Amino acid sequence: MENCFKFALVASLCIVIHFAQASRCPLSEQDQWKEFRNSCYFFSETSTTWQSAKESCEENGSHLVDILSRGENEFIHQRLNTYRYSEDYYIGATDRQHEGYFVWESTRSALGYKNWNVGEPNQHLGTPENCAEIKTDNGKWNDVPCDIVMRFICKRPVSRE
Ligand code: BGC
Ligand code: CA
């Protein structure tokens, strides 16, 4: 009986710890926030322009995602695949300040890690393409016109409490 009590105590402690950890990222009904290496990522279910995606991330205490490593890109690409949704997603890279010079909007720093698709960025057919997307099929990046309406990914640090 005493063992049984100990077991119940440990089990409930585990459940409490599990939920305490799970809440390092915001909770949402649609479970859109995911945690990876001390950051939280929001995968939108609605579509909008790049500027309005940026503002929407900022309203949530986050920013359009900056992708700083291959591991991070793989995490994001895998998530997109698990949604089984074919639309591409906006990321935070833009060259709207200086044509041909892409930066991460949140820090205005030049891209370090890069994962452009073959031939990108290309200002396709001479049309201004000053914002970047990540492609759901292969996880590669492409420059697109900023007024295209699509889903987007936000990022913020995990909460420290
Ligand atoms: C996209 C361009 C891209 C091109 C690649 C087009 O549909 O709008 O951004 O560079 O495909 O072939
Ligand atoms: Ca392009």
Side-chain angles (χ1 to χ4, degrees), residues 21-83:
Q21 282 180 342
S23 68
R24 285 166 23 118
C25 290
L27 299 169
S28 64
E29 272 173 39
Q30 296 82 12
D31 196 25
Q32 289 154 305
W33 286 96
K34 297 290 170 199
E35 184 176 334
F36 176 74
R37 290 191 193 156
N38 287 328
S39 292
C40 302
Y41 299 80
F42 174 88
F43 296 85
S44 83
E45 288 184 349
T46 56
S47 303
T48 189
T49 63
W50 189 88
Q51 177 65 30
S52 131
K54 167 181 140 62
E55 286 162 13
S56 170
C57 291
E58 286 164 1
E59 280 160 23
N60 279 318
S62 61
H63 55 82
L64 269 178
V65 70
D66 48 345
I67 305 175
L68 307 178
S69 68
R70 192 159 71 97
E72 189 174 18
N73 203 81
E74 273 169 15
F75 157 75
I76 291 169
H77 181 213
Q78 261 175 27
R79 285 253 45 105
L80 300 188
N81 278 338
T82 59
Y83 295 137

Side-chain angles (χ1 to χ4, degrees), residues 105-117:
E105 173 70 15
S106 56
T107 53
R108 298 287 165 95
S109 54
L111 310 186
Y113 166 78
K114 294 182 188 124
N115 196 33
W116 293 113
N117 208 8

Side-chain angles (χ1 to χ4, degrees), residues 116 119-124 129 131 133 141-145:
W116 293 113
E120 307 295 347
N122 67 349
Q123 294 258 65
H124 191 58
E129 291 195 320
C131 292
E133 62 170 12
W141 308 347
N142 171 39
D143 60 337
V144 290

